[in-house]
Amino acid sequence: MEKILNFFANYGKFIMASGIVLAVISFFDKKLSASLILIFFLASAAFFFINRIKDEKQKKIISILFLIVFLLHIAVVLFFFYGRFQPFSGGSGDYIQYDDTANQTAERLSRGDFSVKGLALAHYFPLLAGYLYYLLVPKMIVGQIFNAWLVALSTIFIYLTVKEFGRSNKEAFLTGLIVAIYPSPVFFGSLMLKEAFVVFFSTLAILLALKLLGRFSWRIFALFYFSLIGLTHFRFFISIPLIFIFVILWLLLSKFKLKDRVVYALIMIFLFGFLPVISTVGGANIGYFGINEIKRQVNFKSIICHILAAFTIQQ
């Protein structure tokens, strides 16, 4: 409670000024007003946790990095939304379907209906966006801003990952900034696509994996496991190689005795096998370690179809 009071004491004037600005803007553009509320809330949540960092210098650097990346992506989001930028064949991308599903979810919530039956849900991003639509405004910009926030948080994980390798604050900051302005995360992280979640959970999982190699604890492992649940849910074929590499590095580099390494590795492998089962939508029969999905995807007919589809897109 004391930390919360200190937070509002430090940022009280900013909060009051923001409230006045929002009140004025709401008369002219409700979409922008709702967007600013979301930006303010997400930024406050991020800074609440950043302020818990004990190293003052590191806290300042991370705050600056977060602000730069978040504001950059917000600018791109505003350009995409108000400029009516519609990539991918004139507006036929997945984000159109996600927006439609989110609108359906918000409509159901307004009727007090929490059912997901009949919704097009390959993953839960449209459902989360639907709750934001219901709380704020049913417009795509809400989901885009949330994605921008996820990418900004991902750069913090990248910064901390570089620090895990013993590099300087300056090197870690520049690495995070370079990744943030790389065209791919700027583009895909500013649209209403699930890629922002893939980046978020990937960078978090890599950071936690490095921490586990340096100092194992079940608390860090639990966080690592939950990050893998998210990554497996949004991109199954990225989580499996990451798990494989982690187990190999664990056996080679962890500071336990060889016997203990093997015992811990066997326990972790057993638990990792349930990730695809936990992460699927609607209880799909994906199988232990996703073996059924792997068999479905890795076959001659499927490979040929993917090659032909890629060739057609290039043409």
Side-chain angles (χ1 to χ4, degrees), residues 131-313:
Y131 276 82
L132 292 175
Y133 279 23
Y134 171 70
L135 293 172
L136 294 168
V137 61
K139 296 295 180 181
M140 193 183 294
I141 191 173
V142 171
Q144 292 175 270
I145 289 173
F146 189 82
N147 278 355
W149 182 67
L150 290 176
V151 175
L153 292 180
S154 299
T155 59
I156 296 177
F157 300 149
I158 292 168
Y159 171 91
L160 295 174
T161 298
V162 176
K163 290 294 293 179
E164 284 292 316
F165 287 105
R167 311 308 297 182
S168 68
N169 287 324
K170 181 179 180 181
E171 289 172 318
F173 176 83
L174 290 175
T175 303
L177 195 59
I178 289 170
V179 172
I181 63 176
Y182 191 74
S184 180
V186 170
F187 179 74
F188 290 103
S190 302
L191 292 170
M192 191 167 157
L193 296 170
K194 67 178 182 180
E195 273 66 26
F197 280 91
V198 176
V199 173
F200 175 83
F201 285 116
S202 297
T203 52
L204 177 58
I206 292 171
L207 171 62
L208 294 172
L210 289 173
K211 286 185 174 294
L212 284 171
L213 293 175
R215 180 180 61 85
F216 182 87
S217 78
W218 286 111
R219 182 179 67 85
I220 296 177
F221 179 78
L223 293 173
F224 179 54
Y225 195 82
F226 281 115
S227 67
L228 288 175
I229 289 176
L231 181 58
T232 305
H233 175 71
F234 287 105
R235 193 73 79 191
F236 168 69
F237 286 103
I238 292 180
S239 69
I240 294 299
L242 195 155
I243 291 169
F244 177 78
I245 293 171
F246 170 74
V247 172
I248 296 299
L249 291 177
W250 170 263
L251 291 172
L252 294 176
L253 302 178
S254 63
K255 297 179 180 180
F256 284 82
K257 294 180 181 180
L258 180 60
K259 180 181 177 181
D260 293 332
R261 293 184 200 179
V262 174
V263 171
Y264 274 80
L266 290 175
I267 294 172
M268 289 188 288
I269 290 170
F270 172 75
L271 294 173
F272 289 149
F274 292 101
L275 285 171
V277 179
I278 297 171
S279 305
T280 53
V281 177
N285 185 24
I286 195 170
Y288 187 73
F289 258 117
I291 190 65
N292 293 338
E293 180 66 15
I294 293 173
K295 286 180 179 179
R296 187 179 71 84
Q297 293 286 344
V298 184
N299 63 74
F300 182 76
K301 183 178 179 181
S302 178
I303 292 171
I304 293 298
C305 289
H306 285 306
I307 292 173
L308 290 175
F311 179 77
T312 302
I313 291 173

